[in-house]
Amino acid sequence: MKISASDQRLLREIQRDSGLSLAQLAERCSMAQSTVWRRLQEFESAKLIRARVALLDPNQLGCKLSVLAAITLTDHSEKTVSGFASLIEGHPEIVECYATSGKADYQLKIRVADVEAYESFMTHTLLRNAIVREVHSSFVLKELKSTTELPL
């Protein structure tokens, strides 16, 4: 899909606030409302826009602690990897998961209420699972930047 400069402006605006009306988007992007609507439909059909969501404040919702966990699996068989994928999908505390190079097989970002909640999650969920060999945790002390905006 070819992305023009005006398309980039439109995508930047909806990344910042997906709740803007067609009229607001058209005005900010110097485009006709019909063009904005058509381009958004094309972006959604092409799966360029995967979802339109609201970003919630985790602190106000009781998810104050952010933990980065480096996970090493017992092996890399298909059964183990698919089992780990199922484990990840089944736990909303895990908000991000990346297969990585280096010492750990995966990096997780986990959001929970506090240290006690993480300790319980780690011992009862991660470490009790036979496919997880090691978990190395780092607690986020201060979040300096967090964004979902891609650099367009």
Side-chain angles (χ1 to χ4, degrees):
M1 173 177 267
K2 181 111 168 106
I3 304 295
S4 68
S6 60
D7 289 339
Q8 286 184 356
R9 279 193 307 274
L10 177 58
L11 291 169
R12 274 194 297 273
E13 290 299 328
I14 65 167
Q15 281 191 112
R16 289 183 186 128
D17 186 352
S18 68
L20 293 173
S21 69
L22 286 176
Q24 290 169 314
L25 286 169
E27 183 180 325
R28 290 183 184 193
C29 297
S30 302
M31 299 168 76
Q33 284 187 43
S34 59
T35 303
V36 169
W37 182 85
R38 182 180 48 79
R39 291 305 288 157
L40 290 176
Q41 295 302 308
E42 290 171 1
F43 295 153
E44 288 175 351
S45 293
K47 304 288 188 226
L48 180 66
I49 297 175
R50 297 189 312 196
R52 296 189 201 192
V53 300
L55 300 176
L56 307 178
D57 185 330
N59 294 324
Q60 291 188 48
L61 294 167
C63 299
K64 291 184 177 189
L65 183 64
S66 184
V67 181
L68 305 175
I71 307 294
T72 304
L73 301 181
T74 54
D75 63 68
H76 298 102
S77 69
E78 251 183 74
K79 182 179 177 184
T80 299
V81 171
S82 65
F84 186 71
S86 295
L87 172 70
I88 296 307
E89 287 300 320
H91 292 281
E93 302 92 338
I94 302 170
V95 295
E96 296 179 36
C97 176
Y98 303 97
T100 58
S101 61
K103 269 188 139 179
D105 297 315
Y106 295 91
Q107 294 286 334
L108 307 180
K109 182 176 180 183
I110 300 167
R111 295 298 304 223
V112 290
D114 52 31
V115 173
E116 291 79 13
Y118 178 67
E119 189 274 334
S120 177
F121 177 76
M122 184 180 66
T123 57
H124 295 103
T125 301
L126 296 176
L127 292 175
R128 286 215 179 132
N129 194 300
I131 61 176
V132 174
R133 177 183 299 150
E134 294 179 345
V135 177
H136 295 275
S137 306
S138 297
F139 295 95
V140 174
L141 302 176
K142 185 176 184 180
E143 191 173 273
L144 299 176
K145 182 178 181 178
S146 177
T147 183
T148 61
E149 290 184 39
L150 296 176
L152 300 177

